[in-house]
């Protein structure tokens, strides 16, 4: 599976044998207040910074039209985001995941972002293109 953009994620999720819910945490990149002079310089060069969750969304893969529609919806709720971290949550027995399970998973995602544990997420920029974070 080669996902190069958010629309690839939607398409892949729709082909899975169980219903998929896409979980998304929209984040901004900020300079921490205790940043060192070197960190400040790197941040000005658009390198480094701290990921700050701004909002969460969940959508059944079947409900998502495309990246453009999702980004427009996100901008209506809060335009203060630079990237989105995403993952898919499988349903069971032909049904999408329960609301409770989705909320728990989103809470774990937000905690993961706060703790810098993002290796299990796909990251996309505001144009819906995959971003690789080292």
């Amino acid at each position: 599976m080669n996902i190069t953009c958010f629309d690839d994620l939607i398409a892949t999720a729709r082909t899975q044998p169980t219903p998929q819910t896409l979980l998304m945490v929209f984040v901004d990149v900020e300079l921490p207040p205790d940043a060192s002079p070197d960190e400040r310089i790197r941040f000005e060069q658009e390198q480094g910074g701290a990921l700050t969750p701004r909002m969460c969304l969940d959508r059944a893969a079947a409900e998502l039209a495309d990246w453009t529609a999702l980004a427009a919806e996100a901008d209506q709720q809060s335009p203060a985001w630079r990237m989105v971290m995403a993952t898919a949550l499988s349903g069971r027995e032909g049904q999408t995941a329960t609301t409770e399970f989705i909320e728990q998973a989103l809470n774990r995602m937000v905690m993961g972002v706060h703790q810098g544990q993002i290796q299990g997420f796909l990251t996309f920029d505001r144009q819906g293109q995959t971003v690789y974070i080292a």
Side-chain angles (χ1 to χ4, degrees):
M1 160 175 56
N2 188 19
I3 296 177
T4 61
C5 65
F6 194 85
D7 288 339
D8 290 347
L9 177 61
I10 296 171
T12 301
R14 288 180 180 159
T15 65
Q16 300 306 303
T18 57
Q20 302 290 303
T21 301
L22 297 184
L23 307 178
M24 298 155 283
V25 177
F26 291 77
V27 301
D28 196 6
V29 181
E30 298 178 338
L31 183 65
D34 61 346
S36 70
D38 287 340
E39 290 171 327
R40 291 180 186 283
I41 291 169
R42 285 197 340 257
F43 184 79
E44 289 172 9
Q45 297 170 345
E46 295 188 9
Q47 298 175 8
L51 298 174
T52 305
R54 294 293 184 209
M55 69 179 158
C56 301
L57 289 176
D58 65 274
R59 293 291 180 271
E63 293 176 2
L64 286 167
D66 59 19
W67 170 255
T68 303
L70 177 66
E73 178 184 349
D75 281 340
Q76 286 179 344
Q77 291 189 35
S78 174
W81 60 275
R82 193 176 307 186
M83 295 181 287
V84 60
M85 309 273 179
T87 191
L89 184 63
S90 294
R92 291 186 180 190
E93 300 174 5
Q95 301 295 316
T96 57
T98 65
T99 301
E100 180 180 339
F101 196 56
I102 290 169
E103 287 177 14
Q104 290 172 355
L106 281 170
N107 286 335
R108 285 191 303 272
M109 284 182 73
V110 170
M111 290 301 292
V113 171
H114 280 298
Q115 297 169 352
Q117 298 173 350
I118 58 171
Q119 56 274 23
F121 308 142
L122 292 169
T123 305
F124 303 93
D125 63 16
R126 284 191 69 90
Q127 290 71 46
Q129 298 301 307
T130 304
V131 173
Y132 296 97
I133 299 176

